[in-house]
Amino acid sequence: MIDPYWQVVDLDPVTWRQIGRFFDPGQYLRTAQSGEHGLFVLHEQGNVLRIVDSKTGVRCDIILKTINDPQASARQLYATGEWQRVHIIDKRHLNQVAHSAQASPRRELTLDQYYHEVYQLLWGEPDGYVSIPPHPGHWHGWRYQEIKELLADLSSTPISLALGVLEHERWSIGLILVCDQGLIRKVTTFEALDSSNIPTELSEQALTHFWQQIGQICAPPAGLLLCSSEVFEAWINQEEKIQILLAAREQGQAYWRWESANPIPNKE
Amino acid sequence: MTVQLTEMGLSIDGQEIPVYSGAVHYWRLERHLWPLILDRVQELGFGVIETYIPWSVHEIAPGSYDWGEQDTRKDVEAFMRLCEERGLWLLVRPGPLINAELTDFGFPEWVLLDPAVQAHTATGSLHLDAAWGLHPPHQFPVPSYASKKFYHYVEQWFASVCPLIARHLAPNGCVVAVQSDNETCYLFHDRAYATDYSQDSLALYRTFLQKRYGSLEQLNTLYHSDYTAFEEVEPPRDCQVSGRTDMAWHVDWISYKEYQIRWSVVVIARLLRAYGIEGVPIFHDVAFQFRTPLDIAALEREPDIDWVGMNLYRNTGGYRGAIQTIRYLAGTTRLPFVPEFGCGIWSHHSQTPTPDEQEFITLLTFMHGLKALSFYMLVERERWQGCPITRHGAFRPDYAAFYKRLLFFARQYQVWSMRRSPSALVLLNFDLGRYTALASTLHLAHSDLYGFPGELFQVDLDLGLRWDVAREADDRRHDNWSGTVLGILGTRQMDYDLADTHIDLERLSRYPLVFVPTVDFMDREDLARLLTYAERGGQLVIGPGLPYLDPALCPSDVATERITHQGQTQLGTGSVWWVSQDSLPAIVDTLAQQPEYTCDDSQVSLLTQKNADHTLLFLANPTAQQRAVQVRFAGQRHLKRVWGEACTCIGEQAVNLDIEPYTVQIWEVLA
């Protein structure tokens, strides 16, 4: 997805501050959630090395010397109800993940493919890293493989995808991606567009305006979504994405155009 | 040297210039816009700019260079001539590493893909840059900074770029300083057992051991080993300490990692000199690390390195770190310098700063003694946003206004010549930093991504020590000995500097009072230097422990033969005070000079700076609430606000002021 030589230019600082939270690749890999009360048991081939509670620190009071069945131990600890998640981690597994991921220069992989490989290595060995509850296999309903395939299908020739999020009559996000051959070649913002007469409303007219502008300045658009910040948050964070957009369109809180035989992500 | 480093900036043929600079990346800007953009830079008030000269951009195939012949944006000499026409001075950074959010960090791909260049991790794999932190857009194998082949390639690059720079050296040209490499530190994977276990690195490690011990017998004695050649010594690949006898082996590896960085920066600096960079200072920028594997005091003592700074990217929430950085630079380096001072941010950063945040953090650092800086970036470019000037040469008004005001203000008050009067120096114990580094684990690629709590990376060592070393070594704690010292100085609004136990005696002697957290062990030379400081009239406060061992945990009587009890021990014309944590408030009150100005709100910071003509009073409110404070002093004061809305106030013993959230106020004391 990510072109190793992508161009990232003309970034409106307001947009960039808004989307900064998506740049932590760890959030797409890990099960540990920020603020979550977790228990982490590090062992090496069954010998427990350290037990750490994310709130209280090292837990010497938990008598657990060996791990014979990591899944069972995790379930047992989780069943106590003390933690929102229990992690039982074999140090040798982490070692193997690191070693395998870096076995060669990996130049043939794009960065997202590389991190996806790390994800597969981390969760591919059932007893290497045991998490209860387990990794859901997606991020708020977004699935890497689906997005990657959609992008590849869409962009046999250069196309644009764009998103506008309106908040307090201002575009808090105005993001444009130019994609080609399944790769994101260029990332820019509404700042790259003609600044005169940029509409600051959610409407069909605004949709048409941006569609034309993006087509003239970037590449022929294949998809454009304009929505309110509330709709955007729901669309990002909830799994029933198309239902959220359909309901929002009924209320004039979302407008989109999708020029593809393929359905939009999460299937209409 | 034609260009000399001074305490206030650079002296060019005797003319003192402050280093208030900003980054402009010529090759990323349209060539026809260069004149306009440089004019914009000068309109903001800048007299110095900075640029990288990126290796991979210019060496387009092995041995084939484009200096503007194919792509006019790469004509760096034309850029330099434009600077010279305008009287702009220039700092240049030719790498070899530059980062700059370039694909492959500015290294040519064929260099990175040469197996003889590649670093290796403790697991034996390659070390990819993606191992630690996010560095889009493409992963690459990190070079070993011990690789002979790497320096062979670097030398070829320098043979091309250095003569070109040399033609523009000051005073006839614009170039006033050159940087040796960039943030040299294992590409951010700086943990002790992460890397570099390549063959050339292991050879350098063994050379380091040979220099350190002289003979194999000495090493064997300390290691309790029976090696027959230095070539047999293998480094630790994780924390493998099971008892005291393992400590020397681990400490030596940690020390080697520090040495490798210094050695690399020096080798690169010597190459720069060898290829014609003469008469101007060579400097280096540290990314952010205060502790091992960075040893800033030792790096600045290297004869080939004139000047070391530390980069700073902080948002409002990171204000404490910003203050700590500047206090550390003030206490440690020749000229407190931030070679990359966040101005805007890289495009994969999670929080693009607002104009208000940039103002707050910048003023906060000036308040705490920053003397030189280069705003990175002054002009936007690909993969960077939030600067005062866009890549099209337009001002970004929300951001530009502050920098214009700042430069005007700095010139008006000659801020670079202002001095603080710190009443104390607080040292970080370098050996405690090394202990933290060695007593840790999971230095594996991607372990930063998994959301593990910090304690999972720590290893508890049972070494039979008297004091809680892990507790005292944790410089994030507020409840240990050094945290208590810093807390007391802060609440009493006493100004202080920071440094570490590797600074030299001359620098120690600038302070009447020095605090050092000490435990069971400490380097003999560092300890002896501190005692000499006391002998020569200094007041040295140590605690909670009294070192009776060296870092290898071998007996050491450097301290114990002269200090036998808690409390005061007179040494020469000064004293050593060995005190417990509980006794610190009383000791501070006894020994520290009371500040001339105080504030009744301990959440608000207050500092003064003076030069020959002005006294400035800085007040910072690092909270989200407006604060009404009373500033107290002896006698009557007439204050004039010189940053922000102009106003004056006169008070007897005190004045009352309101401070907005996350702002710095600057007042001139008129009388």
Side-chain angles (χ1 to χ4, degrees):
Chain A
M1 264 194 292
I2 296 176
D3 181 348
Y5 292 93
W6 69 357
Q7 209 191 358
V8 184
V9 290
D10 299 328
L11 306 180
D12 154 35
V14 174
T15 286
W16 227 253
R17 188 169 170 108
Q18 290 293 325
I19 65 173
R21 60 189 157 126
F22 300 115
F23 300 156
D24 163 21
Q27 67 188 304
Y28 310 111
L29 304 178
R30 62 181 169 244
T31 55
Q33 301 296 306
S34 177
E36 182 180 78
H37 187 194
L39 185 75
F40 294 81
V41 180
L42 183 68
H43 68 99
E44 190 158 21
Q45 286 186 298
N47 295 316
V48 173
L49 304 172
R50 203 165 178 84
I51 303 176
V52 177
D53 184 310
S54 63
K55 282 193 178 162
T56 59
V58 177
R59 290 288 297 265
C60 300
D61 58 308
I62 297 175
I63 309 300
L64 189 61
K65 298 281 184 202
T66 55
I67 300 279
N68 296 318
D69 180 345
Q71 300 279 355
S73 298
R75 279 195 300 271
Q76 202 175 351
L77 287 162
Y78 181 71
T80 65
E82 189 174 352
W83 304 282
Q84 291 167 285
R85 196 181 305 270
V86 172
H87 310 252
I88 299 203
I89 309 146
D90 188 345
K91 188 175 173 181
R92 288 171 63 96
H93 174 63
L94 296 185
N95 207 313
Q96 193 56 44
V97 171
H99 187 82
S100 300
Q102 302 184 106
S104 71
R106 302 290 186 191
R107 300 292 281 181
E108 73 283 6
L109 302 179
T110 59
L111 187 64
D112 49 288
Q113 286 172 327
Y114 176 77
Y115 280 126
H116 189 62
E117 177 149 326
V118 173
Y119 168 87
Q120 288 175 315
L121 287 165
L122 184 67
W123 298 111
E125 164 59 49
D127 285 346
Y129 188 147
V130 174
S131 170
I132 302 288
H135 196 290
H138 58 84
W139 187 81
H140 301 304
W142 300 100
R143 289 174 173 80
Y144 176 74
Q145 208 58 37
E146 286 178 13
I147 295 171
K148 192 176 158 221
E149 284 167 11
L150 181 78
L151 198 64
D153 291 345
L154 270 179
S155 58
S156 55
T157 58
I159 55 100
S160 296
L161 296 171
L163 166 72
V165 177
L166 197 69
E167 189 173 11
H168 306 307
E169 298 182 355
R170 185 181 177 185
W171 297 106
S172 61
I173 296 176
L175 182 67
I176 306 168
L177 309 179
V178 178
C179 308
D180 186 17
Q181 309 288 326
L183 291 175
I184 302 169
R185 309 279 192 187
K186 181 176 179 178
V187 181
T188 189
T189 63
F190 287 0
E191 189 170 294
L193 306 177
D194 180 359
S195 60
S196 58
N197 300 320
I198 280 196
T200 50
E201 60 176 19
L202 295 173
S203 65
E204 283 294 339
Q205 290 80 0
L207 197 69
T208 302
H209 176 93
F210 282 115
W211 191 268
Q212 288 171 349
Q213 278 265 305
I214 291 166
Q216 285 165 14
I217 292 171
C218 298
L224 167 62
L225 169 64
L226 301 180
C227 63
S228 66
S229 55
E230 293 79 9
V231 172
F232 175 69
E233 291 302 325
W235 181 59
I236 286 293
N237 292 312
Q238 296 178 25
E239 292 191 29
E240 299 305 317
K241 301 194 185 298
I242 191 62
Q243 285 83 346
I244 286 161
L245 291 186
L246 290 170
R249 185 161 65 183
E250 292 293 310
Q251 297 168 353
Q253 293 298 301
Y255 294 84
W256 70 86
R257 200 173 291 177
W258 186 251
E259 295 281 303
S260 169
N262 298 298
I264 60 175
N266 216 19
K267 299 177 182 64
E268 194 158 1
Chain B
M1 246 192 286
T2 310
V3 181
Q4 301 274 355
L5 190 70
T6 74
E7 288 187 353
M8 293 184 280
L10 293 172
S11 171
I12 304 166
D13 260 358
Q15 179 201 351
E16 189 97 39
I17 62 155
V19 181
Y20 293 158
S21 168
V24 183
H25 287 177
Y26 61 91
W27 76 95
R28 284 164 147 162
L29 302 169
E30 293 304 323
R31 171 71 185 264
H32 71 276
L33 291 175
W34 288 0
L36 169 68
I37 286 170
L38 292 178
D39 289 345
R40 292 279 191 246
V41 166
Q42 288 191 299
E43 279 177 56
L44 291 181
F46 287 89
V48 185
I49 62 170
E50 174 272 313
T51 186
Y52 283 122
I53 304 179
W55 185 1
S56 63
V57 167
H58 290 286
E59 191 170 355
I60 51 179
S64 175
Y65 296 88
D66 181 2
W67 294 112
E69 299 86 355
Q70 294 175 49
D71 181 344
T72 57
R73 293 174 304 172
K74 298 182 184 179
D75 188 349
V76 66
E77 282 203 87
F79 183 74
M80 290 173 175
R81 282 193 292 273
L82 284 175
C83 292
E84 286 156 1
E85 285 167 16
R86 285 163 175 72
L88 278 167
W89 299 112
L90 183 63
L91 312 171
V92 297
R93 306 197 287 169
L97 163 63
I98 68 167
N99 186 344
E101 294 66 57
L102 280 172
T103 301
D104 299 340
F105 277 32
F107 292 118
E109 189 178 40
W110 68 87
V111 173
L112 298 174
L113 295 183
D114 184 335
V117 165
Q118 294 162 348
H120 287 78
T121 70
T123 75
S125 73
L126 297 181
H127 168 203
L128 302 190
D129 72 305
W132 199 265
L134 177 62
H135 310 294
H138 202 201
Q139 65 284 352
F140 64 85
V142 170
S144 165
Y145 269 66
S147 161
K148 293 185 184 76
K149 194 71 180 293
F150 175 66
Y151 291 105
H152 166 73
Y153 287 123
V154 171
E155 188 163 358
Q156 289 176 328
W157 159 239
F158 279 2
S160 181
V161 67
C162 288
L164 187 150
I165 298 169
R167 286 198 286 274
H168 295 272
L169 291 174
N172 299 320
C174 59
V175 176
V176 289
V178 178
Q179 183 174 293
S180 171
D181 206 48
N182 179 62
E183 298 185 339
T184 311
C185 188
Y186 310 101
L187 270 82
F188 306 110
H189 205 172
D190 57 7
R191 296 185 159 224
Y193 313 114
T195 186
D196 172 10
Y197 293 86
S198 64
Q199 286 306 311
D200 283 349
S201 176
L202 295 185
L204 188 65
Y205 162 65
R206 290 160 188 146
T207 304
F208 166 80
L209 291 177
Q210 204 158 359
K211 278 186 193 163
R212 188 178 186 90
Y213 290 103
S215 74
L216 202 56
E217 290 69 31
Q218 285 209 25
L219 179 142
N220 277 329
T221 303
L222 199 58
Y223 282 21
H224 298 265
S225 56
D226 54 2
Y227 295 116
T228 58
F230 278 101
E231 288 69 32
E232 294 172 7
V233 183
E234 285 291 329
R237 288 171 186 258
D238 197 351
C239 181
Q240 296 168 245
V241 177
S242 56
R244 289 189 178 195
T245 54
D246 293 324
M247 284 296 283
W249 181 41
H250 286 74
V251 170
D252 282 348
W253 174 249
I254 304 283
S255 305
Y256 161 70
K257 300 282 301 274
E258 298 157 11
Y259 168 79
Q260 191 194 354
I261 291 172
R262 293 200 306 279
W263 179 86
S264 308
V265 176
V266 166
V267 166
I268 292 166
R270 286 178 182 165
L271 283 174
L272 288 169
R273 293 280 188 226
Y275 283 93
I277 307 303
E278 294 292 341
V280 300
I282 288 183
F283 67 102
H284 181 71
D285 65 330
V286 170
F288 56 85
Q289 299 93 336
F290 294 91
R291 286 191 163 184
T292 186
L294 263 301
D295 185 344
I296 292 172
L299 187 56
E300 224 185 41
R301 274 199 297 274
E302 293 284 352
D304 298 284
I305 304 298
D306 300 295
W307 185 19
V308 180
M310 187 181 291
N311 299 335
L312 185 72
Y313 293 94
R314 295 281 181 178
N315 281 38
T316 302
Y319 79 93
R320 282 198 179 89
I323 293 171
Q324 189 183 37
T325 297
I326 302 308
R327 288 195 193 278
Y328 182 85
L329 290 171
T332 308
T333 61
R334 294 183 183 123
L335 172 66
F337 174 42
V338 175
E340 292 180 19
F341 193 108
C343 179
I345 202 75
W346 54 88
S347 54
H348 53 280
H349 193 279
S350 63
Q351 204 172 23
T352 299
T354 63
D356 287 347
E357 283 178 312
Q358 297 203 356
E359 174 173 334
F360 176 62
I361 294 294
T362 307
L363 293 180
L364 202 62
T365 57
F366 273 67
M367 168 179 176
H368 286 87
L370 181 65
K371 287 280 179 273
L373 81 171
S374 188
F375 288 108
Y376 192 95
M377 304 279 305
L378 210 51
V379 182
E380 287 174 4
R381 39 79 168 177
E382 55 159 348
R383 304 176 188 176
W384 198 275
Q385 74 284 348
C387 302
I389 302 170
T390 71
R391 72 188 181 111
H392 308 290
F395 284 126
R396 198 177 278 288
D398 291 354
Y399 288 86
F402 163 66
Y403 294 96
K404 193 165 187 172
R405 273 176 70 202
L406 179 74
L407 270 287
F408 178 80
F409 171 77
R411 275 197 305 276
Q412 188 180 13
Y413 287 91
Q414 302 211 328
V415 173
W416 55 87
S417 67
M418 291 268 167
R419 287 175 186 275
R420 293 160 45 235
S421 302
S423 55
L425 177 69
V426 181
L427 297 183
L428 306 172
N429 185 328
F430 206 88
D431 296 314
L432 287 177
R434 284 176 171 166
Y435 181 89
T436 302
L438 75 84
S440 61
T441 190
L442 295 180
H443 299 180
L444 300 166
H446 316 303
S447 54
D448 59 326
L449 299 177
Y450 304 149
F452 295 158
E455 292 94 333
L456 206 67
F457 293 87
Q458 294 166 2
V459 177
D460 292 328
L461 302 180
D462 184 6
L463 299 168
L465 300 175
R466 296 174 193 167
W467 284 279
D468 187 343
V469 178
R471 180 177 188 271
E472 297 305 330
D474 187 348
D475 54 14
R476 293 163 304 177
R477 292 183 76 129
H478 301 294
D479 61 348
N480 59 10
W481 196 91
S482 60
T484 302
V485 170
L486 296 175
I488 295 166
L489 293 173
T491 49
R492 285 163 171 68
Q493 287 155 347
M494 292 171 171
D495 196 6
Y496 63 92
D497 282 338
L498 291 169
D500 63 54
T501 45
H502 284 186
I503 63 164
D504 60 29
L505 188 58
E506 184 280 322
R507 186 168 279 277
L508 280 172
S509 304
R510 297 179 193 180
Y511 300 87
L513 178 60
V514 173
F515 294 89
V516 194
T518 47
V519 290
D520 303 63
F521 56 85
M522 192 169 186
D523 180 84
R524 293 163 201 254
E525 284 183 23
D526 294 342
L527 195 48
R529 192 181 320 112
L530 288 167
L531 297 182
T532 304
Y533 157 77
E535 275 176 353
R536 295 184 183 178
Q539 301 297 323
L540 176 67
V541 183
I542 64 171
L546 182 70
Y548 57 95
L549 302 168
D550 69 10
L553 305 189
C554 297
S556 162
D557 61 2
V558 175
T560 51
E561 72 173 1
R562 308 185 69 183
I563 303 162
T564 55
H565 58 276
Q566 288 212 339
Q568 184 182 10
T569 300
Q570 189 83 30
L571 285 187
T573 55
S575 291
V576 177
W577 302 75
W578 173 21
V579 298
S580 66
Q581 195 171 319
D582 294 343
S583 308
L584 281 167
I587 285 290
V588 171
D589 288 337
T590 304
L591 298 177
Q593 190 184 351
Q594 297 305 307
E596 188 179 353
Y597 295 86
T598 58
C599 168
D600 65 344
D601 184 342
S602 63
Q603 302 248 45
V604 170
S605 308
L606 183 155
L607 286 179
T608 54
Q609 294 195 33
K610 295 178 182 178
N611 63 13
D613 303 316
H614 306 283
T615 297
L616 296 182
L617 183 69
F618 293 76
L619 284 147
N621 176 7
T623 74
Q625 292 80 39
Q626 176 156 327
R627 309 196 80 91
V629 302
Q630 187 170 71
V631 175
R632 294 167 182 158
F633 41 77
Q636 190 187 66
R637 292 287 187 278
H638 183 186
L639 304 178
K640 175 186 162 195
R641 191 165 172 188
V642 292
W643 184 269
E645 197 177 330
C647 61
T648 59
C649 62
I650 298 174
E652 187 78 31
Q653 308 294 330
V655 291
N656 296 317
L657 303 171
D658 292 321
I659 314 178
E660 297 291 318
Y662 299 118
T663 57
V664 174
Q665 289 187 0
I666 308 175
W667 297 79
E668 182 175 6
V669 182
L670 297 176

